[in-house]
Amino acid sequence: MASRFYVTTPIYYINDVPHLGTAYTTIAADVLCRYHRLRGHESRMLTGTDEHGLKIQRAAEARGVAPGAHADEIAAVFRATWPKLGCAPDDFIRTSEPRHKKAVQELWSRIKARGDIYLGHYEGLYCVGCEAYYTEKDLEQPGNVCPLHKKPAESVKEESYFFRLSRYGDALLDYYKRNPTFVQPASRLNEVVSFVREGLQDLSVSRTTFEWGIPVPDDPKHVMYVWFDALANYMTALREPEDNTRFWPADVHLVGKDILRFHAVYWPAFLLSAGYGEAELPRQVFAHGFLTYSGQKMSKTLRNTISPVEVASALSEAAAAALPGSPGAADVGVDVVRYCLMRAISFGQDGDFSLQDVLSRYGSELGNALGNLLNRVLPFAEEVPAKGASGPLEEELAGAHRQAAAAAATAFDANQPTRALDAIWTVIAAANLYIDKAAPWVAKKTDPARLGTIIATLIEQLEAISVMISPVMPVVAGRMREQLGLPPIAFEEGSDRWPMALPSRAPGEKLRRGSPIFPRLEKEKEAELLARFAPPRPDAEPGKADAKAAPEAKAAPAASGGAEVAAPPARQGKSPVAFDDFARLDLRIGVVTSAERVKKKDRLLDLRVDTGDGAPRRIISGIAASYAPEELVGKRVVVICNLPPRDFGKGLVSEGMLLTAEVEGRVRTITIEDAAPGTPVL
């Protein structure tokens, strides 16, 4: 029987339409689900909408419509958005559906029967935007201001049912200790453990001051607290319309870090209280970071929110304009957005999305590296040539492929699409280097048999690459396979399609060379895109020129009575960089888990460093003259995690760089005494 994989997104609150943040999580879930299907696993992806609560009732009242009608409208937008971003969830659940209501009421009754729900009175602070209760220490003072929404929490006093959360503190801490990957990245687990160790208070789980929610069984004047209602969706969606309960427990709940507490503390406590055993708890809660757009926090107030669907559409239009009449050029934008979200932002950390970065990656990583690889091969043959004996160059490429395929699979298994793509791009670079070394243009003139071996080798490599990129870029993978004369990738439960080794092609199979997948964009089009999606300055007024966009510094003339402005003192060092450029660096604390010398490379050490990604990353560092390998094991170092992989040759590919300083002629690593792996360096 094939193993199963079940991934969920949060069910998105319908106070807003889909945006970059919700797209990020949904695309990540879709990527992981597609990967597991490739591995032959019976896979399921769930998303949906969270539709109850005071905030939604107020929003509906403000529009003069019933809450149900308001929910229907917004939920339809979410449902229609995901296919436009290449996402194919197996189910879309709404908390207003009868199937959900019925199952949540059953969960409530099970917990109450075990004595963990009791009637009392709640008096405290409640943020309507978060739909969450807070204490004064959780809020910004003065004024009890929500740190996320920047609005004062409301004072609430009402009769309420309570859940005995305080009973489950020790059980949760014990579970976290025995299951250290339950919360990922590791830095997030430390936050959860710290919160629980401070002591858990019983949780108010019903309200009487509004009606838009699921009624409490046997006491319908109460409606359930929206988080008790919402969290249960991950199970309730598996019961109807067909029985999919075999998928429980979920393999991974993907969530934003702002809702980690609900998923890693409240949700397992609810399940334990309802009588579910530890083996029936979700296997992992993976909390990713926040996204900014071009260095700015996104908000409707700042008018700098961005639609990923519009960006994808605009990129497709630009590609189509660059290659008029080319079938398929107009569908590349979605895959470009998916790729950039998964590649540019280290999954689990905060990150920035900018159109400038998208265009840069489109031209270099996608166009020059991947697209050009295909374009360099297919002109040499109209069918797969016979492959002769492999030589050193072929063996070197095969070794690079095996290493990349294994590393990418390990990363995907650890829910790390960013690191998976890093690994895949190392073999794309290796294949381009192979072409340079093998020189098929020379073999074409002097050795046709050798030319056949070179082209057959590259066709096999391209087929493997098409499979490995398909979870992230299914459209691009399909177009590659079409030009390679291959059918679409077929998924079959129990059949592992992941190319740990290179596939083989029969000589004579037809190739179908087509137009470039990533045509070079016109500079004018790039400028139009940048202008169209440029976020406004936070302090710029609508309709007015931004006077601060290009300030001119002038010294007031002394003769006019103004004080002369002195030039700042000259400072030693390199030329200045923009703050936004510096902010793009993903700096994290890492713990060195192993270290060894690199044979025949006197300066280099081969390190494995835990940076909170689930699996240690490999870093090749030129510090062998300053450290014996055993000196570094256990050290907490500072790592730049989002540099492009660097190939030192012979399969040595570095996935980051240590920060160091030269002290008295020796290179020393910058270390820190006590911080969890993955802790951001701010």
Side-chain angles (χ1 to χ4, degrees):
M1 180 181 295
S3 59
R4 298 187 178 94
F5 178 76
Y6 179 34
V7 59
T8 70
T9 74
I11 49 172
Y12 300 116
Y13 206 44
I14 58 170
N15 62 312
D16 199 359
V17 295
H19 50 71
L20 192 65
T22 51
Y24 182 54
T25 319
T26 310
I27 289 170
D30 182 77
V31 166
L32 295 177
C33 198
R34 288 177 185 270
Y35 164 75
H36 281 276
R37 287 201 177 99
L38 275 177
R39 304 308 303 268
H41 305 156
E42 186 183 11
S43 301
R44 189 170 187 83
M45 173 189 166
L46 174 70
T47 190
T49 44
D50 180 5
E51 302 179 7
H52 291 134
L54 178 59
K55 189 173 188 177
I56 304 306
Q57 180 172 306
R58 287 180 177 175
E61 290 170 350
R63 295 181 60 206
V65 299
H70 175 78
D72 288 344
E73 181 180 331
I74 306 300
V77 176
F78 274 91
R79 190 189 294 270
T81 294
W82 304 137
K84 297 175 184 177
L85 292 173
C87 299
D90 297 281
D91 195 3
F92 185 101
I93 190 164
R94 300 177 56 191
T95 56
S96 60
E97 293 181 72
R99 61 168 172 160
H100 178 72
K101 174 181 175 181
K102 175 184 174 184
V104 172
Q105 289 179 321
E106 290 174 3
L107 180 68
W108 177 286
S109 297
R110 287 181 63 165
I111 293 175
K112 187 176 182 183
R114 293 170 65 92
D116 280 344
I117 289 180
Y118 62 93
L119 188 63
H121 284 81
Y122 176 80
E123 183 174 358
L125 298 166
Y126 187 79
C127 173
V128 177
C130 295
E131 295 285 8
Y133 303 99
Y134 287 109
T135 62
E136 288 188 358
K137 70 177 182 179
D138 296 320
L139 301 169
E140 295 177 354
Q141 303 299 337
N144 293 323
V145 175
C146 171
L148 184 61
H149 292 94
K150 302 302 180 183
K151 293 181 179 180
E154 298 183 9
S155 295
V156 175
K157 183 177 182 180
E158 62 182 318
E159 183 181 78
S160 175
Y161 282 96
F162 285 80
F163 170 70
R164 297 187 193 275
L165 183 63
S166 57
R167 275 187 179 175
Y168 292 92
D170 291 342
L172 289 171
L173 289 172
D174 182 58
Y175 183 72
Y176 303 149
K177 184 177 181 180
R178 289 182 288 104
N179 297 274
T181 61
F182 174 64
V183 175
Q184 286 292 307
S187 58
R188 303 291 177 215
L189 176 62
N190 295 334
E191 296 173 12
V192 170
V193 169
S194 177
F195 173 74
V196 177
R197 279 180 178 163
E198 288 181 2
L200 297 177
Q201 303 297 316
D202 288 354
L203 182 68
S204 173
V205 288
S206 76
R207 301 291 301 276
T208 59
T209 51
F210 62 91
E211 298 178 349
W212 181 236
I214 295 179
V216 167
D218 303 321
D219 197 352
K221 71 176 182 291
H222 287 258
V223 296
M224 295 181 193
Y225 172 43
V226 66
W227 276 106
F228 185 97
D229 160 10
L231 289 165
N233 89 91
Y234 306 123
M235 292 184 77
T236 63
L238 297 178
R239 298 174 60 174
E240 296 179 15
E242 56 200 36
D243 184 9
N244 293 299
T245 53
R246 66 189 182 280
F247 280 99
W248 191 259
D251 289 273
V252 57
H253 292 321
L254 295 182
V255 301
K257 65 181 183 180
D258 55 326
I259 55 174
L260 175 60
R261 180 185 305 179
F262 302 98
H263 286 81
V265 180
Y266 300 168
W267 179 222
F270 292 159
L271 291 171
L272 291 171
S273 176
Y276 292 97
E278 287 190 354
E280 298 172 284
L281 298 185
R283 294 190 175 103
Q284 188 175 97
V285 178
F286 198 110
H288 64 72
F290 289 156
L291 299 189
T292 54
Y293 177 54
S294 296
Q296 294 183 10
K297 179 181 177 181
M298 290 175 285
S299 76
K300 289 183 286 186
T301 303
L302 295 177
R303 308 177 310 284
N304 66 348
T305 56
I306 182 173
S307 164
V309 173
E310 290 182 9
V311 172
S313 177
L315 287 168
S316 292
E317 291 172 4
L323 208 61
S326 170
D331 60 10
V332 73
V334 169
D335 275 17
V336 174
V337 168
R338 287 169 63 99
Y339 172 81
C340 290
L341 282 172
M342 293 298 100
R343 183 85 195 271
I345 301 159
S346 185
F347 200 65
Q349 307 301 317
D350 293 344
D352 186 63
F353 181 87
S354 74
L355 197 62
Q356 182 64 64
D357 183 68
V358 170
L359 294 174
S360 175
R361 291 180 187 275
Y362 175 93
S364 59
E365 298 169 6
L366 296 176
N368 292 344
L370 176 58
N372 198 41
L373 176 61
L374 185 67
N375 298 337
R376 296 176 79 185
V377 174
L378 294 184
F380 282 99
E382 295 183 356
E383 61 184 36
V384 179
K387 184 179 180 182
S390 295
L393 290 179
E394 287 72 42
E395 293 300 329
E396 184 179 1
L397 179 58
H401 171 77
R402 287 191 296 271
Q403 184 176 27
T410 298
F412 274 133
D413 287 336
N415 304 319
Q416 285 288 348
T418 308
R419 295 189 63 193
L421 287 171
D422 289 345
I424 294 166
W425 251 253
T426 64
V427 79
I428 292 173
N432 276 299
L433 183 61
Y434 170 81
I435 295 178
D436 295 337
K437 292 179 177 179
W441 50 89
V442 175
K444 183 178 181 180
K445 299 177 181 178
T446 62
D447 192 344
R450 175 61 183 158
L451 175 64
T453 298
I454 295 169
I455 299 306
T457 297
L458 287 164
I459 287 171
E460 292 170 353
Q461 185 64 70
L462 283 163
E463 178 180 348
I465 290 169
S466 75
V467 175
M468 292 192 293
I469 67 168
S470 66
V472 178
M473 296 191 288
V475 173
V476 169
R479 291 189 59 198
M480 285 182 65
R481 294 177 70 83
E482 184 178 325
Q483 294 194 33
L484 292 167
L486 294 166
I489 298 170
F491 302 109
E492 183 180 347
E493 291 174 17
S495 178
D496 190 348
R497 306 285 181 178
W498 191 257
M500 287 297 186
L502 287 172
S504 60
R505 292 289 298 275
E509 292 182 3
K510 296 297 183 183
L511 304 174
R512 303 185 184 91
R513 182 185 177 191
S515 56
I517 297 175
F518 303 104
R520 189 178 301 277
L521 302 184
E522 299 172 0
K523 291 299 181 183
E524 294 78 6
K525 279 290 182 183
E526 288 192 351
E528 289 176 14
L529 290 171
L530 290 170
R532 175 178 171 184
F533 292 103
R537 290 182 59 93
D539 54 354
E541 294 184 34
K544 290 189 177 181
D546 186 355
K548 296 183 179 180
E552 294 183 3
K554 294 184 178 180
S560 66
E564 184 173 348
V565 179
R571 301 186 185 276
Q572 295 181 351
K574 299 179 180 178
S575 58
V577 298
F579 179 82
D580 287 351
D581 291 337
F582 174 77
R584 291 175 59 195
L585 291 177
D586 181 7
L587 293 168
R588 284 186 250 160
I589 301 301
V591 175
V592 180
T593 59
S594 69
E596 59 185 36
R597 295 190 183 278
V598 177
K599 293 180 181 178
K600 299 182 180 180
K601 300 281 188 179
D602 294 339
R603 296 186 308 105
L604 301 182
L605 291 181
D606 187 351
L607 312 175
R608 296 298 190 277
V609 183
D610 180 2
T611 52
D613 296 310
R617 67 174 62 219
R618 188 181 198 184
I619 295 179
I620 310 300
S621 183
I623 54 175
S626 299
Y627 291 96
E630 58 272 14
E631 288 183 79
L632 289 168
V633 176
K635 280 188 177 293
R636 284 173 164 77
V637 294
V638 181
V639 182
I640 304 178
C641 294
N642 60 339
L643 293 175
R646 183 179 179 187
D647 190 347
F648 286 81
K650 303 293 185 183
L652 294 174
V653 178
S654 186
E655 301 177 282
M657 186 174 75
L658 306 186
L659 289 192
T660 60
E662 186 173 333
V663 181
E664 297 179 352
R666 293 185 66 194
V667 176
R668 310 300 295 174
T669 60
I670 296 174
T671 61
I672 190 167
E673 289 298 321
D674 187 22
T679 300
V681 177
L682 305 176

